[in-house]
Amino acid sequence: MSTYAQLELAFKSLLAALDQLEAACERRLMADAERSNLEEELAVLQDDRTRLALELDDSQARAKSLELANGEVARRLAKASSTIRTILTQVPREH
């Protein structure tokens, strides 16, 4: 094989290697960009999770407060009803 043919073969091998290197670089850049996007999405999801957890805590506290208020109202209504019944039994009925 002549020196020229050997150089041409080496040059073609070098070009093929450079093409492969360029393709590998492009794949790496795309993977890095995708990873960056995934990290951003994860950060957004974590922020949403934190916000939702706080909202849930607030909602649970409000539900507990309403439950306590409901119990107090029920107790007062029962007392008022009992008082009204007592008063009605003491009032003479006219026929």
Side-chain angles (χ1 to χ4, degrees):
M1 182 179 275
S2 72
T3 305
Y4 178 77
Q6 288 177 337
L7 282 175
E8 192 172 333
L9 184 60
F11 184 70
K12 286 180 182 179
S13 293
L14 178 60
L15 288 177
L18 288 174
D19 286 343
Q20 289 178 349
L21 180 60
E22 184 178 359
C25 288
E26 287 177 14
R27 286 192 304 271
R28 175 61 189 259
L29 288 173
M30 289 174 63
D32 287 348
E34 186 174 324
R35 180 177 179 209
S36 177
N37 288 341
L38 290 174
E39 288 173 351
E40 288 175 20
E41 288 179 30
L42 178 60
V44 168
L45 289 174
Q46 288 173 333
D47 289 347
D48 285 348
R49 184 196 172 282
T50 300
R51 180 183 52 79
L52 290 171
L54 290 172
E55 287 178 10
L56 177 60
D57 288 345
D58 288 346
S59 294
Q60 288 175 332
R62 178 145 170 78
K64 183 65 175 174
S65 175
L66 290 172
E67 184 180 323
L68 293 173
N70 185 40
E72 178 64 17
V73 168
R75 186 188 65 74
R76 289 182 183 188
L77 283 174
K79 184 177 178 183
S81 178
S82 175
T83 302
I84 291 170
R85 281 192 191 99
T86 300
I87 292 171
L88 287 176
T89 59
Q90 294 173 358
V91 174
R93 292 188 178 178
E94 292 184 22
H95 292 274

